[in-house]
Amino acid sequence: MTPEVGTLACTAAGGLVISVEAEVYRIAPEDVQGLIFAGRPAPVILSRVRHVRGVVTGEVTIEGHAALHPAGRAVVVHTRVGSWIVPLVSFRRVARGEAASAPLFPLLPEVGL
């Protein structure tokens, strides 16, 4: 089973939204800056909202992380569902608001020979 392709988009506040596998993850604006300018891994967050007897409750959990690829030309997003890769130039364009979105490409696990 291969994870389906997702998208990366910018929020009005400067953070990023990652949509994959019918889930919507977020990266906070300060974490996006740390990833781009300092190469620090950024937590990938998932917010869940529930309605129980008319009361809205929610929880925010860290579901993975985004980090620069060792070659420095891409960003790799790892979640519990799978892993995706996006070229660094596309990631930066979306983060700066120059592009509305960018596709995420599934990163297939390495298979031993």
Side-chain angles (χ1 to χ4, degrees), residues 7-9 16-20 23-27 44 66 77 84 104:
T7 58
L8 177 73
L16 294 175
V17 175
I18 302 167
S19 301
V20 288
E23 295 284 357
V24 178
Y25 303 98
R26 297 190 183 281
I27 300 176
V44 174
V77 178
W84 295 268
L104 294 172

Side-chain angles (χ1 to χ4, degrees), residues 64-101:
H65 69 280
L68 286 177
H69 186 274
R73 295 177 146 176
V75 173
V76 181
V77 178
H78 298 283
T79 69
R80 294 178 193 207
V81 177
S83 298
W84 295 268
I85 193 166
V86 60
L88 182 58
V89 67
S90 298
F91 187 90
R92 285 182 174 161
R93 289 187 71 219
V94 172
R96 289 190 304 244
E98 295 172 1
S101 64

Side-chain angles (χ1 to χ4, degrees), residues 47-60:
S47 299
R48 290 187 179 93
V49 176
R50 286 185 244 153
H51 301 273
V52 180
R53 291 181 271 221
V55 177
V56 178
T57 61
E59 64 183 18
V60 176

